[in-house]
Amino acid sequence: MARAQGARAQMALAFETVYGTPPVGGFTKMPFASTTLGAEQPLLNSELLGYGRDPLAPIKDAVTADGDVVLPIDAEAFGFWLNAAFGDPVTTGTGPWTHEFQSGAWTLPSLSIETGMPEVPRYAIYSGCVLDQLTWQMQRSGLLTATARLVAQGETVGTVSNAGTPAPIDLKRFGHFNGSITRNGAALGNVVSAQISYANNLDRIETIRADGRIDGADPSIAALTGSIEVRFADSALVTQAMDGEACALEFSYALPSGESFTFTVHAVYLPRPRIEISGPQGVQATFDWQAARDSALGRMCTATLINDREEY
């Protein structure tokens, strides 16, 4: 009897033309490290009296389908998740191509994502997936991954894959060693770590349906927050925080072969941090920053991916 093993698990995704309707084809194989994407339907205990001490049978509640996908930040597959977070990019060039994703879109695309465990076999396809949040961390070492939080409409489970033969991905993964941070165009030094979190703050449309699923997930006011932990060497960031001024932060990765990913936050506001001296080691300060719409550009952030893929 075959048992499920995570090492054999696979994932494929495709963009939907109609929300909640999986496309017939066009799936692409996705690299991932782990996923909690799934559907659950809790049971409601009976509140009725008069039938003795033993309870009556429970009834089913509404279906909830959501979860996280931990994925590598790479030169090609990551563009699908950026597309889900921001909408279609503006693509220029003739190869390599530059894909520019901009915040502020009123509508977001929906995805169908299939996870498979072929040895069982079990293939679960999650339709109507909309990206709620995308987060990642920059540090000196370790594996570079991002976490995509998704809200789905529902789950359909079968013993045969509905994704057919997914298109392969040429995996060119970025590492922490390839990362850099700039502030207003100049290198930001003494940074120990940084965290970036973009949220679409989805509003689930929970209408009454016979199948218990949601009708959709609409984006509301977006939020872009994060933190930077720095060795306290000068007062530039503290002065900016006290003055209430905004700066532009750019988080980027570049490979020697030419592929790159740049995430530019155009208007970052810093809080005044507490500067603590906790011992004889170096003094560090943490700035929990917030981003807002830049009035000149008309958007909050821009994600630019340069690779050999012509379109998303």
Side-chain angles (χ1 to χ4, degrees):
M1 177 179 176
R3 295 176 174 83
Q5 293 183 336
R8 296 190 62 186
Q10 54 196 31
M11 176 181 290
L13 64 74
F15 289 99
E16 298 174 345
T17 303
V18 178
Y19 173 80
T21 303
V24 177
F27 281 82
T28 303
K29 185 177 181 179
M30 285 289 112
F32 72 106
S34 64
T35 180
T36 61
L37 187 60
E40 59 182 0
Q41 189 174 21
L43 298 176
L44 298 176
N45 294 329
S46 175
E47 83 285 18
L48 300 179
L49 306 176
Y51 294 89
R53 291 184 58 239
D54 294 335
L56 297 178
I59 62 173
K60 293 181 179 180
D61 201 2
V63 177
T64 301
D66 54 21
D68 296 344
V69 179
V70 179
L71 49 108
I73 298 182
D74 73 311
E76 186 172 343
F78 195 54
F80 288 91
W81 302 105
L82 292 174
N83 196 343
F86 300 106
D88 293 334
V90 177
T91 300
T92 57
T94 56
W97 285 271
T98 299
H99 310 280
E100 186 176 278
F101 303 84
Q102 300 179 1
S103 63
W106 287 105
T107 59
L108 296 176
S110 62
L111 308 167
S112 285
I113 300 177
E114 184 184 80
T115 59
M117 291 176 281
E119 68 277 11
V120 175
R122 182 185 189 271
Y123 294 90
I125 188 162
Y126 302 94
S127 56
C129 294
V130 184
L131 193 143
D132 187 26
Q133 190 176 57
L134 187 64
T135 62
W136 73 93
Q137 186 172 0
M138 298 185 73
Q139 56 193 28
R140 185 175 181 271
S141 62
L143 295 173
L144 176 59
T145 59
T147 300
R149 181 173 299 170
L150 301 161
V151 173
Q153 185 186 44
E155 173 191 65
T156 303
V157 179
T159 57
V160 180
S161 173
N162 291 313
T165 303
I169 283 289
D170 184 14
L171 185 62
K172 293 183 179 180
R173 190 172 182 178
F174 297 110
H176 287 293
F177 180 76
N178 308 117
S180 62
I181 304 175
T182 64
R183 173 179 175 267
N184 292 334
L188 182 61
N190 301 302
V191 179
V192 178
S193 65
Q195 184 175 354
I196 303 97
S197 177
Y198 178 83
N200 282 310
N201 290 321
L202 298 179
D203 179 24
R204 301 179 191 230
I205 306 174
E206 297 178 332
T207 56
I208 299 174
R209 294 170 53 120
D211 57 8
R213 298 183 175 187
I214 62 174
D215 255 353
D218 293 341
S220 59
I221 299 297
L224 179 53
T225 59
S227 65
I228 50 174
E229 186 176 359
V230 298
R231 283 277 184 163
F232 193 65
D234 58 60
S235 299
L237 296 178
V238 176
T239 301
Q240 177 192 328
M242 295 177 64
D243 293 342
E245 298 178 349
C247 71
L249 290 181
E250 185 177 278
F251 308 92
S252 60
Y253 304 91
L255 295 177
S257 53
E259 294 83 3
S260 67
F261 167 57
T262 303
F263 189 75
T264 305
V265 189
H266 301 293
V268 173
Y269 293 86
L270 304 174
R272 181 174 177 175
R274 183 190 300 271
I275 308 298
E276 297 181 354
I277 303 174
S278 57
Q281 293 82 13
V283 176
Q284 295 184 175
T286 300
F287 294 84
D288 295 320
W289 54 266
Q290 299 179 25
R293 178 180 180 270
D294 182 87
S295 57
L297 294 174
R299 61 181 180 273
M300 182 165 56
C301 63
T302 304
T304 305
L305 189 63
I306 299 177
N307 58 23
D308 293 328
R309 188 179 187 89
E310 186 173 358
E311 61 180 6
Y312 284 98

